[in-house]
Amino acid sequence: MSTPETMKALVQLHDGYSGRQEGPVIDDLAPLLEYREVPVPQPGPGQALIKVDLAAVNPSDLHFIKGEYGQPRVKGAPAGFEGVGTVVAGDTPFVGQRVSFYATHSGTWADYALTEARGLIPCRPDLRAEDAAGLIVNPLTASAMFDIVRDSGADSFILTAAGSQLGKLLIALGRDYGIAPIAVVRRAQQGEMLRDLGAEEVLVTSDPEMLAKAAPIMKARKPRILLDAVGDQHTADLFFAMPNRARWVNYGKLSTEPPRLTQLGQLIFQHKKIEGFWLTEWMKTASPEKLGAVITEVQERFVSGKCRTDVTAVVSLADAMSELPAATKKLDGKVFLKP
Amino acid sequence: MSTPETMKALVQLHDGYSGRQEGPVIDDLAPLLEYREVPVPQPGPGQALIKVDLAAVNPSDLHFIKGEYGQPRVKGAPAGFEGVGTVVAGDTPFVGQRVSFYATHSGTWADYALTEARGLIPCRPDLRAEDAAGLIVNPLTASAMFDIVRDSGADSFILTAAGSQLGKLLIALGRDYGIAPIAVVRRAQQGEMLRDLGAEEVLVTSDPEMLAKAAPIMKARKPRILLDAVGDQHTADLFFAMPNRARWVNYGKLSTEPPRLTQLGQLIFQHKKIEGFWLTEWMKTASPEKLGAVITEVQERFVSGKCRTDVTAVVSLADAMSELPAATKKLDGKVFLKP
């Protein structure tokens, strides 16, 4: 397999951070990205070049290209963190194999991507392309955060944005490990699907009685961990309605509303805490054994059907500039880019 | 020394919590307390009865009698957490000795108070009454929180309400241990006194340029811990201006303003945390050796003049109903009640 000198890619038009916090919503890609021909990146020591089969589009990608993610943009470099493909060159025994990967050196929204060889995850042959393309960001985040839930010792946990792909993975984990998921969603019509999946309780933030309905649930189920991807006042209100020693673990900011800490005294007298979770940081501290075990379990869960990737759209890379923004606004699943 | 059957005390008029969060400001004691004759409490097993020489008035007392502290009020029981006095009876070898104590069973704003015998702290004879009466709440809180600062490994720390008695204790600790205090105050005129005491930097929240002035200080000194007794938007803004891995440790709520988390993403990408500190909880987890060492050091620091209790007023118990509210509004030191 010979590698061409150039490739098509969605490349970033800006360096660094925007200084804004607008959330992962994009109406128009033109101010941010350009679809064009760029040189195929060359693997250096410890790196691997992958021919991309399918790339994921995560909220973190949208935050990133808008300049509001935890690492700076690089002008001229392809976007896209996650994908699946075939290793075509590099400092790795996996050349020729299908791998899931997180692109650290040149993004996945391109024909070829470049990453650290030690991060390659060989895929089982029976793993669907859509599952393989989204094997890292959501499933690893779900598993790592679910460890926090298990360590809490509580019999239940709360999650916001429960209808998201990551939310559904968390609900399935709660169901399978017997820790009751309390699912928080914006719209009542998401409730039934989440109950079918394993949510024991559903709270709807558009319901003016939401907090009144939450009170008996908090009392009966005593959740300790609130896994939150929204970061709005509803989340803060739920946190303050939780029992002693509750922890608000924020991992995303779908809302642009700055939540108010209306009962700060609970941090003193009820030992509550507010903190964040970032997969990038977690991966730096997790042992290779832990990572390997989680990855193996994640693949098994997808292949066995215990969890699944709901696909909203597969957009061709060539059409992304016009089609991707609308596709990312659909709420029922995940969007992929096909080079 | 024979103990009478009755005593004078400031007794609470309400049970439980008020459900409000108004802060430690009191205009009128009449809705909350009554000065009257009550039976002298009787020590049970493991308890000690103390004839009160001098009782402290802390912000936590004011929160408590207003029903907004972390433990419920008891109607008919004397208020007051802290004081110094002579042990007159009980299950303890310290009968006849002068002790500092934290009243767990009947409050210090009375002729006699009742507490657990194992919590008695024998006082050095050279310790002033005002220092002895306030030996626990502020100095122990300061020492325990300063441990968090030392554990952070940073060369500086930030404290709000820096002009308070507790703030001054923290500044003196920072000075003596070589960890630069960055003092946050409301009024510029407090700055010079705090610099004399050991504050390396002073930030004034009434200065519209406060955040701009904070930026180079954050960059140069890289504080990691923010010890906060105010809980307003200024605190939140300073927290978000701090470097990576900053921790906002809230231990009081002098402001009634609910702070907004304007940059929640920093909890994810900069590993920042928001938490509380409560001495009552800390004392449950600290070892007796640790407590003993801290108490010994605190007495030594007072006697040697390394730290001092600034006295605003000593109000007689009989005059407290009319005089205490005004005395607690003075900001330059601490108020005591004299039975």
Short mmCIF file of all heavy atoms in Angstrom, two decimals, chain A residues 135-165:
data_model
loop_
_atom_site.label_atom_id
_atom_site.label_comp_id
_atom_site.label_asym_id
_atom_site.label_seq_id
_atom_site.Cartn_x
_atom_site.Cartn_y
_atom_site.Cartn_z
N LEU A 135 -14.62 4.59 19.82
CA LEU A 135 -14.31 3.65 20.90
C LEU A 135 -13.65 4.33 22.10
O LEU A 135 -13.64 3.77 23.20
CB LEU A 135 -13.36 2.58 20.36
CG LEU A 135 -13.24 1.29 21.18
CD1 LEU A 135 -14.55 0.52 21.14
CD2 LEU A 135 -12.10 0.43 20.63
N ILE A 136 -13.12 5.51 21.91
CA ILE A 136 -12.27 6.08 22.96
C ILE A 136 -13.00 7.17 23.75
O ILE A 136 -13.28 7.01 24.94
CB ILE A 136 -10.96 6.62 22.35
CG1 ILE A 136 -10.21 5.45 21.71
CG2 ILE A 136 -10.11 7.30 23.42
CD1 ILE A 136 -8.98 5.85 20.93
N VAL A 137 -13.32 8.28 23.09
CA VAL A 137 -13.77 9.46 23.84
C VAL A 137 -14.98 9.14 24.71
O VAL A 137 -14.93 9.29 25.93
CB VAL A 137 -14.07 10.63 22.88
CG1 VAL A 137 -14.68 11.80 23.65
CG2 VAL A 137 -12.79 11.07 22.18
N ASN A 138 -16.07 8.68 24.11
CA ASN A 138 -17.25 8.41 24.91
C ASN A 138 -17.12 7.18 25.81
O ASN A 138 -17.37 7.27 27.01
CB ASN A 138 -18.49 8.28 24.03
CG ASN A 138 -19.05 9.65 23.65
OD1 ASN A 138 -18.76 10.65 24.29
ND2 ASN A 138 -19.83 9.69 22.59
N PRO A 139 -16.76 6.02 25.26
CA PRO A 139 -16.73 4.84 26.13
C PRO A 139 -15.70 4.93 27.26
O PRO A 139 -15.98 4.54 28.38
CB PRO A 139 -16.39 3.70 25.16
CG PRO A 139 -16.88 4.18 23.84
CD PRO A 139 -16.60 5.65 23.83
N LEU A 140 -14.52 5.47 26.95
CA LEU A 140 -13.53 5.58 28.02
C LEU A 140 -13.96 6.61 29.06
O LEU A 140 -13.79 6.41 30.26
CB LEU A 140 -12.17 5.99 27.46
CG LEU A 140 -11.20 4.88 27.10
CD1 LEU A 140 -9.82 5.47 26.81
CD2 LEU A 140 -11.09 3.87 28.23
N THR A 141 -14.54 7.72 28.60
CA THR A 141 -15.05 8.72 29.55
C THR A 141 -16.12 8.10 30.43
O THR A 141 -16.13 8.28 31.65
CB THR A 141 -15.61 9.94 28.79
OG1 THR A 141 -14.58 10.49 27.98
CG2 THR A 141 -16.10 11.00 29.76
N ALA A 142 -17.03 7.35 29.79
CA ALA A 142 -18.09 6.70 30.57
C ALA A 142 -17.52 5.73 31.60
O ALA A 142 -17.91 5.75 32.76
CB ALA A 142 -19.05 5.97 29.62
N SER A 143 -16.58 4.90 31.17
CA SER A 143 -16.01 3.92 32.09
C SER A 143 -15.25 4.59 33.23
O SER A 143 -15.38 4.21 34.39
CB SER A 143 -15.06 2.98 31.36
OG SER A 143 -15.79 2.10 30.54
N ALA A 144 -14.46 5.60 32.88
CA ALA A 144 -13.67 6.27 33.91
C ALA A 144 -14.59 6.98 34.90
O ALA A 144 -14.37 6.93 36.11
CB ALA A 144 -12.72 7.27 33.26
N MET A 145 -15.63 7.64 34.40
CA MET A 145 -16.53 8.35 35.31
C MET A 145 -17.39 7.36 36.10
O MET A 145 -17.74 7.62 37.25
CB MET A 145 -17.40 9.35 34.55
CG MET A 145 -16.59 10.51 33.97
SD MET A 145 -17.59 11.95 33.52
CE MET A 145 -18.78 11.21 32.45
N PHE A 146 -17.71 6.24 35.47
CA PHE A 146 -18.50 5.26 36.21
C PHE A 146 -17.68 4.66 37.37
O PHE A 146 -18.25 4.24 38.38
CB PHE A 146 -19.02 4.16 35.28
CG PHE A 146 -20.11 3.34 35.89
CD1 PHE A 146 -21.37 3.88 36.10
CD2 PHE A 146 -19.87 2.04 36.32
CE1 PHE A 146 -22.37 3.14 36.70
CE2 PHE A 146 -20.87 1.28 36.92
CZ PHE A 146 -22.13 1.84 37.11
N ASP A 147 -16.37 4.65 37.23
CA ASP A 147 -15.53 4.25 38.37
C ASP A 147 -15.74 5.18 39.56
O ASP A 147 -15.73 4.75 40.71
CB ASP A 147 -14.04 4.29 37.97
CG ASP A 147 -13.59 3.02 37.29
OD1 ASP A 147 -14.38 2.06 37.22
OD2 ASP A 147 -12.43 2.98 36.83
N ILE A 148 -15.91 6.47 39.27
CA ILE A 148 -16.17 7.43 40.36
C ILE A 148 -17.50 7.07 41.03
O ILE A 148 -17.62 7.10 42.25
CB ILE A 148 -16.23 8.87 39.79
CG1 ILE A 148 -14.90 9.24 39.13
CG2 ILE A 148 -16.58 9.87 40.89
CD1 ILE A 148 -14.92 10.59 38.40
N VAL A 149 -18.48 6.72 40.21
CA VAL A 149 -19.79 6.32 40.75
C VAL A 149 -19.65 5.08 41.63
O VAL A 149 -20.17 5.03 42.75
CB VAL A 149 -20.78 6.06 39.60
CG1 VAL A 149 -22.05 5.41 40.12
CG2 VAL A 149 -21.09 7.36 38.85
N ARG A 150 -18.93 4.08 41.13
CA ARG A 150 -18.78 2.85 41.91
C ARG A 150 -18.04 3.12 43.21
O ARG A 150 -18.38 2.59 44.26
CB ARG A 150 -18.04 1.79 41.08
CG ARG A 150 -18.92 1.24 39.97
CD ARG A 150 -18.48 -0.14 39.54
NE ARG A 150 -17.39 -0.04 38.57
CZ ARG A 150 -16.82 -1.10 38.01
NH1 ARG A 150 -17.22 -2.32 38.32
NH2 ARG A 150 -15.86 -0.95 37.13
N ASP A 151 -16.99 3.98 43.13
CA ASP A 151 -16.22 4.29 44.34
C ASP A 151 -17.06 5.05 45.37
O ASP A 151 -16.72 5.07 46.55
CB ASP A 151 -14.99 5.14 43.98
CG ASP A 151 -13.94 4.32 43.25
OD1 ASP A 151 -14.05 3.08 43.25
OD2 ASP A 151 -13.01 4.92 42.67
N SER A 152 -18.12 5.70 44.92
CA SER A 152 -18.94 6.49 45.86
C SER A 152 -19.71 5.60 46.83
O SER A 152 -20.16 6.06 47.87
CB SER A 152 -19.94 7.37 45.09
OG SER A 152 -21.07 6.61 44.65
N GLY A 153 -19.88 4.34 46.47
CA GLY A 153 -20.59 3.42 47.34
C GLY A 153 -22.10 3.58 47.34
O GLY A 153 -22.79 2.83 48.02
N ALA A 154 -22.61 4.54 46.60
CA ALA A 154 -24.06 4.75 46.57
C ALA A 154 -24.72 3.76 45.63
O ALA A 154 -24.08 3.17 44.76
CB ALA A 154 -24.36 6.19 46.14
N ASP A 155 -26.03 3.60 45.82
CA ASP A 155 -26.79 2.67 44.98
C ASP A 155 -27.39 3.34 43.75
O ASP A 155 -28.15 2.72 43.01
CB ASP A 155 -27.95 2.06 45.78
CG ASP A 155 -27.44 1.32 47.00
OD1 ASP A 155 -26.34 0.74 46.92
OD2 ASP A 155 -28.12 1.36 48.04
N SER A 156 -27.11 4.64 43.60
CA SER A 156 -27.64 5.34 42.43
C SER A 156 -26.70 6.48 42.08
O SER A 156 -25.81 6.83 42.86
CB SER A 156 -29.04 5.89 42.73
OG SER A 156 -28.95 6.96 43.65
N PHE A 157 -26.88 7.04 40.90
CA PHE A 157 -26.14 8.24 40.50
C PHE A 157 -27.01 9.05 39.55
O PHE A 157 -27.98 8.54 39.00
CB PHE A 157 -24.79 7.88 39.85
CG PHE A 157 -24.91 7.23 38.49
CD1 PHE A 157 -24.61 7.94 37.33
CD2 PHE A 157 -25.33 5.91 38.36
CE1 PHE A 157 -24.72 7.35 36.07
CE2 PHE A 157 -25.45 5.31 37.10
CZ PHE A 157 -25.14 6.03 35.96
N ILE A 158 -26.66 10.33 39.43
CA ILE A 158 -27.42 11.21 38.56
C ILE A 158 -26.57 11.55 37.35
O ILE A 158 -25.36 11.76 37.48
CB ILE A 158 -27.80 12.52 39.30
CG1 ILE A 158 -28.52 12.19 40.62
CG2 ILE A 158 -28.66 13.42 38.43
CD1 ILE A 158 -28.92 13.43 41.40
N LEU A 159 -27.18 11.63 36.18
CA LEU A 159 -26.45 12.10 35.01
C LEU A 159 -27.32 13.07 34.23
O LEU A 159 -28.52 12.83 34.07
CB LEU A 159 -25.97 10.95 34.13
CG LEU A 159 -26.99 10.16 33.31
CD1 LEU A 159 -26.26 9.40 32.22
CD2 LEU A 159 -27.80 9.21 34.18
N THR A 160 -26.72 14.17 33.79
CA THR A 160 -27.43 15.12 32.93
C THR A 160 -27.09 14.80 31.47
O THR A 160 -26.21 13.99 31.19
CB THR A 160 -27.03 16.57 33.25
OG1 THR A 160 -25.67 16.77 32.87
CG2 THR A 160 -27.21 16.89 34.73
N ALA A 161 -27.80 15.44 30.55
CA ALA A 161 -27.66 15.14 29.13
C ALA A 161 -27.74 13.63 28.92
O ALA A 161 -26.99 13.04 28.15
CB ALA A 161 -26.34 15.70 28.57
N ALA A 162 -28.68 13.02 29.64
CA ALA A 162 -28.74 11.56 29.70
C ALA A 162 -29.08 10.94 28.36
O ALA A 162 -28.82 9.75 28.14
CB ALA A 162 -29.76 11.12 30.76
N GLY A 163 -29.65 11.72 27.43
CA GLY A 163 -29.98 11.19 26.12
C GLY A 163 -28.83 11.22 25.14
O GLY A 163 -28.96 10.72 24.02
N SER A 164 -27.70 11.78 25.55
CA SER A 164 -26.53 11.82 24.66
C SER A 164 -25.96 10.42 24.51
O SER A 164 -26.27 9.50 25.29
CB SER A 164 -25.46 12.73 25.24
OG SER A 164 -24.89 12.12 26.39
N GLN A 165 -25.07 10.25 23.53
CA GLN A 165 -24.43 8.96 23.34
C GLN A 165 -23.69 8.53 24.61
O GLN A 165 -23.79 7.39 25.06
CB GLN A 165 -23.46 9.08 22.15
CG GLN A 165 -22.87 7.77 21.70
CD GLN A 165 -23.93 6.76 21.29
OE1 GLN A 165 -25.02 7.12 20.88
NE2 GLN A 165 -23.61 5.49 21.45
#
